[in-house]
Amino acid sequence: MAIDGARFLRDLHRLREFGAAGVGKGVVRPAYSDADIAARAWLAERMREAGLTPHFDPVGNLFGLADGPSLLLGSHSDSQPEGGWLDGALGVVAALEVARASARPVSVVSFQDEEGRFGVTTGSAIWSGALPLDKADDLTDHTGLSLAEARGRMAHLAGDFVDPGRFGGFLEMHIEQGPALDMSDDRIGVVSDIVGIRDMNITFTGQQNHAGTTPMALRRDAFQALSLFNMRLADRLRNVVTPQTVWTIGHVALHPNASSIVPGRATFSMQWRDGDADRLSRMEEIVRETAAEIAGEAGMELAFGPMLGIEPVAMDGDLRAALESAAEQVAPGRWRRMPSGALHDAANLARCMPVAMLFVPSIGGISHAFEEDTDEGDLVAGLDVLARAVDGLP
Ligand code: GLV
Ligand code: MN
Ligand code: MN
């Protein structure tokens, strides 16, 4: 098929203008923000030009539908609160270019809130049936806004949910977001499996008090409790984790967050990821036990928020083989099979159809940061692999 690398790069750069921020090619385009909604409207027009029928569902997932049964390609176009220009956007724009060029019917999707402002890969989790809509509607972002309120901003665009049964499979192209390809000579990664994730908020509530007059021994300082928890958790996890296991406290809200007040409340995100579902469960026990232990010692009330998660998932053998054969054509001897340590919409879609993914290198292994970037030659090579894989499917 005749893909147009220059047109693909032009579209990618144009999409970056929605929410362009920070140094380099940074983007601030969180789900349901003005920039996100404007970017989706722009994408819908590109889909229409490509001969697809644009369709928004009730949560803001945007589909460009081919007539009749088709293959689905895409990713997401929302960003982290501080993100790069390629995370998600690459897969959507590559899908658009393949849909334009392919003789086979190809539909395109940009899932909503993959970056988890409200959950974990929220839009595709709802669409694939992993997360019931009424439960999702109660999820809140860090400001307390609910998903129900946020998706109301797109209600004027919303149609019904698209039937997943109309798609024969899903292919997602993405940047690696880690250092493996960049540190090697390989230009393409074909994903073997995607790790699982668990994510929840934890709150320690102590006693807000005066920072000058409250003796250290009498304080019930929620930040001190969190600090202790963080250290002890690392210690407790040591015998359970592998070098590939990761855990992150990435968001902390101290109340009232003032220099002269002993913090009365600390609410923080607790996230962990691993390729083994049993290990994820064992880690959950340790997280809960350690938090309870610290709460007891430090005189804290303890509350756990809803537990969100996705199971580890293997990629489909046939789709993966098509990607591998295409990778060998485009980059002979310079591609590898590799697991994905990042979460992707494909992990949810595996519930309803065969899925597979390919990666291109991330310069310096940096992502979820303004500095995220990939050599444009690698971007076009990845597009070529995707197009050839689509062509090569039976
Ligand atoms: C997705 O962006 C993730 O956090 O892995
Ligand atoms: Mn992504
Ligand atoms: Mn991301």
Side-chain angles (χ1 to χ4, degrees), residues 13-22 25-30 33-39 77 79-85 370:
H13 282 283
R14 174 71 186 100
L15 180 52
R16 181 179 68 84
E17 289 169 16
F18 296 93
K25 297 174 184 161
V27 165
V28 173
R29 200 165 60 223
S33 63
D34 289 347
D36 169 58
I37 295 171
S77 54
S79 84
Q80 286 285 334
E82 285 192 7
W85 69 304
F370 289 151

Side-chain angles (χ1 to χ4, degrees), residues 44-306:
E45 281 315 304
R46 302 292 78 69
M47 290 168 171
R48 197 187 305 282
E49 279 172 10
L52 304 169
T53 304
H55 179 95
F56 288 95
D57 77 8
V59 293
N61 295 321
L62 166 62
F63 290 83
L65 296 170
D67 293 336
S70 62
L71 196 61
L72 183 64
L73 268 57
S75 190
H76 60 96
S77 54
D78 61 302
S79 84
Q80 286 285 334
E82 285 192 7
W85 69 304
L86 297 172
D87 180 355
L90 173 62
V92 176
V93 174
L96 190 60
E97 182 56 30
V98 173
R100 285 171 181 141
S102 176
R104 164 197 300 272
V106 168
S107 296
V108 177
V109 64
S110 170
F111 286 110
Q112 183 54 294
D113 197 27
E114 192 276 350
E115 299 292 10
R117 176 177 174 189
F118 294 94
V120 176
T121 59
T122 320
S124 59
I126 295 166
W127 184 66
S128 66
L131 178 64
L133 183 57
D134 57 344
K135 199 169 152 211
D137 268 342
D138 291 339
L139 297 173
T140 54
D141 71 2
H142 292 308
T143 70
L145 185 81
S146 70
L147 175 67
E149 291 167 297
R151 71 186 178 91
R153 302 198 68 212
M154 295 185 72
H156 59 294
L157 299 168
D160 292 337
F161 282 106
V162 172
D163 175 10
R166 64 186 285 154
F167 306 117
F170 177 62
L171 287 174
E172 181 170 4
M173 174 175 166
H174 208 281
I175 49 169
E176 180 202 335
Q177 311 187 272
L181 293 174
D182 194 48
M183 285 170 62
S184 77
D185 213 24
D186 292 336
R187 306 332 293 152
I188 299 289
V190 177
V191 176
S192 53
D193 44 76
I194 302 175
V195 299
I197 188 171
R198 300 288 183 270
D199 196 304
M200 69 176 164
N201 281 335
I202 302 179
T203 301
F204 286 127
T205 305
Q207 178 60 58
Q208 181 178 329
N209 212 334
H210 194 291
T213 59
T214 316
M216 295 311 283
L218 294 184
R219 292 183 182 203
R220 290 168 57 220
D221 180 329
F223 176 73
Q224 295 296 338
L226 164 56
S227 167
L228 256 178
F229 168 79
N230 180 49
M231 298 300 289
R232 199 172 297 173
L233 182 67
D235 196 45
R236 295 282 158 82
L237 288 174
R238 200 175 321 135
N239 291 331
V240 172
V241 297
T242 74
Q244 283 71 46
T245 312
V246 292
W247 65 95
T248 308
I249 295 175
H251 187 272
V252 174
L254 284 185
H255 184 84
N257 210 18
S259 309
S260 293
I261 301 178
V262 175
R265 189 170 71 238
T267 296
F268 57 99
S269 60
M270 180 73 237
Q271 181 191 94
W272 59 103
R273 309 188 192 205
D274 193 85
D276 179 342
D278 289 341
R279 185 171 294 109
L280 290 172
S281 301
R282 179 74 192 109
M283 290 174 77
E284 178 181 352
E285 285 166 25
I286 293 172
V287 165
R288 289 183 187 275
E289 281 164 17
T290 308
E293 199 176 282
I294 299 287
E297 288 172 21
M300 297 286 135
E301 283 168 34
L302 172 63
F304 295 105

